[in-house]
Amino acid sequence: MSISHAPPSSPKPDIPPKSGPGMSEAASGDTHERALPDLEPIVPSSTRRTRVPRWLRRSSGPLLLLALWQLLSSTGALTADILASPGRIAQVGSDLIADGSPRPAGRLRRPLPRKAAVAMATHVHRTVTSPAVRVDGLTRSFDGHAVIDNLQLDVQTGEFVALLGRSGCGKSTLLRILAGLDRDITGTVLVPRRKAVAFQAPRLMPWKKVWRNVLLGLPGNPGREVAEKALTEVGLSQRSDAWPKTLSGGEAQRASLARALVREPDLLLLDEPFGALDALTRIKAQRLVGELWQRRGCAVLLVTHDVEEAVLLADRVLVMDEGVIAYETKVHLDRPRDITDPRFAELRAGILERLGVDTAAEAA
């Protein structure tokens, strides 16, 4: 589905030609086959009309329900069964808060046909060229100022992409658009139907135990064993019965990751998930995310301010500036990566220079 958009207001910067993502060396481990994801459009809010029903305006707790209504109506999650009762709105609202992936709403959210192909997402060199994300001519403005300006972006199936940029350049806005949380856009945005988000704040519900938080918003009333499997994968099975307030920062972030993984996403969106962690916990969390990605084979888009983190984890590093992808580079280093490797230091220094950081002064 393509949405018409205005021509770009300024020329786009030169970007190195793209090629398929990959790793330079094969690593040991089992392979993991993953079917190509169903893509669906992010429907701009200007094409959709919603009206608050009378029962919602007159119900108890109107402020909370109205907030959930606005959240759902802005993300295309309103369907007839949701409108039937306040309880259904609360349930789907919780799902949206959990991972930004509400169920599709009717014909506007119908996924595009999937090609009959299977992609290999393994520990070895990736040759997949089918996109998990396709963005063409995306523009998002606030008060007449284009924060994202005619942006182009492809993320391949199984690719790990890190997005860097100065504060206010539009990184988090782009991630929210891909998650379906911001639809005041023009342009074409195609994303997998199955996607999940992990934010810097874990966003756990304090009145639910950890395992119940993991299942929050999942359709079909899945059993506890589904949550336990995801918690085991992130190394938190021993805390499944704990209350969120008793978790450390690292444990809470792992619970948030488990809640994202239990949805079996084809696209995992990470918005500075390690930003609030101490240095040691951050290193452990980075290693965990890398291992989960290699095991799962889903596409990952990581928004971060940490250049070292980007080079450590990603197949490809993007730098966003003035509303577009101004620079990109592939990371052809063996995994696991060594930050003392001179090639690692060279890549890091080059990206820092693109971000306007004087690496000579930093070394001094």
Side-chain angles (χ1 to χ4, degrees), residues 166 307 319 327 345-360 362:
R166 297 182 181 90
V307 175
V319 175
Y327 173 76
E346 183 181 357
L347 270 172
R348 178 178 177 274
I351 296 170
L352 284 171
E353 287 179 6
R354 288 283 181 169
L355 291 167
V357 178
D358 186 349
T359 53
E362 184 191 51

Side-chain angles (χ1 to χ4, degrees), residues 100-120:
S101 306
R103 296 184 62 150
R107 60 184 181 84
L108 290 177
R109 302 271 291 182
R110 184 176 299 152
L112 300 181
R114 179 173 64 181
K115 293 181 180 180
V118 174
M120 294 295 293

Side-chain angles (χ1 to χ4, degrees), residues 2-6 185-188:
S2 179
I3 308 299
S4 61
H5 57 276
I185 61 172
T186 59
T188 301

Side-chain angles (χ1 to χ4, degrees), residues 31 96 121 127 147 204 252 337 354:
T31 60
L96 181 60
T127 58
V147 174
L204 303 177
R337 291 171 181 164
R354 288 283 181 169

Side-chain angles (χ1 to χ4, degrees), residues 136-150:
D136 183 23
L138 173 63
T139 298
R140 174 64 166 103
S141 299
F142 294 90
D143 298 325
H145 172 64
V147 174
I148 297 177
D149 189 10
N150 200 52

Side-chain angles (χ1 to χ4, degrees), residues 160-171:
F160 197 126
V161 176
L163 182 60
L164 295 161
R166 297 182 181 90
S167 295
C169 71
K171 304 185 302 299

Side-chain angles (χ1 to χ4, degrees), residues 73-111:
S73 65
S74 69
T75 56
L78 289 175
T79 57
D81 65 314
I82 293 174
L83 296 178
S85 71
R88 183 69 179 123
I89 279 205
Q91 178 185 347
V92 180
S94 296
D95 183 16
L96 181 60
I97 291 168
D99 69 356
S101 306
R103 296 184 62 150
R107 60 184 181 84
L108 290 177
R109 302 271 291 182
R110 184 176 299 152

